[in-house]
Amino acid sequence: MSLTQNPNVNKWVDEMIALTKPEKVVWIDGSEEQLAALKAEAIATGEMIELNQEKLPGCLYHRTQPNDVARVEDRTFICTKKKEDAGPTNNWMDPQEMYAKLTPMYDGVMKGRTMYVIPYSMGPIGSPLAKVGVEVTDSIYVVLNMDIMTRMGKAAFENLGDTSDDFVRCLHSKADVDPEGRYIVQFPEDNAIWSINSAYGGNVLLGKKCFALRIASYQGKNEGWMAEHMLILGVKKPNGEVKYITAAFPSACGKTNLAMLIPPEGYKKDGYEVFTVGDDIAWMKQGEDGRLYAINPENGFFGVAPGTNAKSNYNALASTMKNTIFTNVAINNDDMTVWWEGLDKNPPENATEWKGAKVNGKEFTASGEKLAHPNSRFTAPAINCPCISPEFNNPAGVPISAIIFGGRRASTTPLVYQSFDWTHGTYIGSAVSSETTAAATGAVGVLRHDPMAMKPFIGYNVGDYWQHWLDMGAKLGENAPKIFNVNWFKKDEDGNFLWPGFGDNMRVLDWIIKRCEDEVDADETAIGYIPKKGDINVEGIEDEVTPEIMDKLLDVDKDLWTKEIAEMRRYYNDDIAANGGKIPAELYEVLDKIEANLAK
Ligand code: GTP
Ligand code: SPV
Ligand code: MN
């Protein structure tokens, strides 16, 4: 029975039922009993595996098809009436053509299956920044993940009200999980998302990338706010004041880790603390006081498992100790716990690897095979996180002092630098490039342009998106956050990381906050402001980060940067402008200025 009087919702759900023809329809109210029954059913059918309920209470395991382990960017579409509105960074098809193509694929696809109707809110219920979605799906795995990742259930309908049409219509079917028939399609002009033939993460938890980034970025452009691929963290200073920072890094480039960092001993002793507001997505809007405020639209973390351990990210690991779903990690059959590369140095002997084969984990990993898929993930409730911010549910969000861009760059990009102003900061965002990771299918380790870490997620023309950034800056004026760029991934000649990273990234946040408060000077270089010698605190890591290494970390190599700028001009001209991206003149002016600076 429907959970809402809202005729727009009911009409749409009826249409989806008529199309997909499920045997049964279940409206998800979000109650404990309903979720417990769904878990029991998923365990009974083998869709989910129950883990050790003493060591990992409430935790479940799920394995996806080996062909279905990451986002599929080549099968992701933005369908707008005009092709130019999708722009050069998106695959495009005419909406009518796409509906015509997909409708037969959805026709009867849920025959013999149950359709779950999931009402959910992105953002705290009642927040003026929150938005409602309704996802219909034939996957219990999706229901259980959406329960962790969103505010799911009846309350979302109460928030929508009985007449509003302002909800995102999300249709998902795993169908046959056929990679050839896999489509992840956004219709921004219809507030609709259609996803088929996948059962993995960002492809199917439609509130996440599809809604909270692709559709929301389009809405934000039209409504004067921003949807970004950013973490949100708060740094509490010894005087008790909390400064909030957002950071955009491409997929699997360190957002979760930075959002949950534990400051080095010296900082802890001085009274510094870090709080997590979000680890993947920020929705930001100008507040009444003129400042930029951010909420995390999500309610949990869909985090990369490999590399997560008590030392690298204690808070993330602690978040996974209860009520968590693990996807494509390895199982330790001795005690039904989980394992992944980088958790510790003891792969379980009696293991099941991510594809489901029973193996001797020690021999298996010694032979160079991976027990956990590199993009294996945990879905953990945000409330589990020991450092979750007291402002996590604040409907007004938190005021942002600084915005950071970053990526994986073995060379060229220094540890940290600051933009001259917002326009230059927007340019820096447009210039983010990063070595690819396992978060999307395709080659790993290839340098590619990923503007604002949003290449796979901008729901409209990237040129208009950059213009929107400039417009937001103009609107914010004096109140605009300062913009920085960081690179934790710079390497030496032998391929070793120069910077220890993780908790030690606090040292860079410290400089950033001091810059925001005009507490520290900087050196002006051709590309932006760089820390003065000695201004990045290395107390306690002097052996590791010697003055020579710090010089390398902060070096702005003229030759490399001249090449970098030439590549940016090529990117703007050939990849973007030549393919229908309208690049704002102000960004070309920044490019000209930096080029001239370097030629001096
Ligand atoms: P998505 O969820 O895909 O958007 O990714 P994310 O940006 O949240 O990435 P995450 O924090 O999960 O980091 C992924 C990988 O980056 C892991 O393998 C980490 O070990 C590594 N990583 C994170 N921070 C650092 C760092 O400071 N230094 C180094 N060297 N590696 C890091
Ligand atoms: C990313 O790839 O940026 C993720 C994981 O955060 S997914 O939700 O699968 O897109
Ligand atoms: Mn992400």
Side-chain angles (χ1 to χ4, degrees), residues 6-24:
N6 187 309
N8 304 308
V9 173
N10 288 326
K11 177 168 170 282
W12 174 73
V13 172
D14 284 345
E15 284 167 15
M16 294 304 104
I17 293 170
L19 174 61
T20 61
K21 306 177 177 59
E23 184 179 301
K24 204 168 113 190

Side-chain angles (χ1 to χ4, degrees), residues 497-508:
F497 291 122
L498 285 164
W499 177 248
F502 301 98
D504 287 311
N505 293 333
M506 178 67 214
R507 301 167 189 277
V508 174

Side-chain angles (χ1 to χ4, degrees), residues 208-209 229 251 255 280 377 457:
K208 195 172 175 59
K209 305 297 182 175
H229 193 201
S251 302
K255 288 183 299 302
D280 197 48
R377 298 209 173 221
F457 309 121

Side-chain angles (χ1 to χ4, degrees), residues 15 40 121-122 197 215 240 279 299 380 383 426 460 505 518 541 547:
E15 284 167 15
S121 169
M122 297 311 288
N197 275 307
I215 298 283
D279 82 325
N299 202 25
I383 47 163
T426 302
Y460 58 105
N505 293 333
D518 274 328
I541 52 166

Side-chain angles (χ1 to χ4, degrees), residues 507-519:
R507 301 167 189 277
V508 174
L509 296 184
D510 182 19
W511 183 79
I512 286 174
I513 291 169
K514 290 203 172 93
R515 285 296 294 166
C516 292
E517 304 191 322
D518 274 328
E519 281 179 13

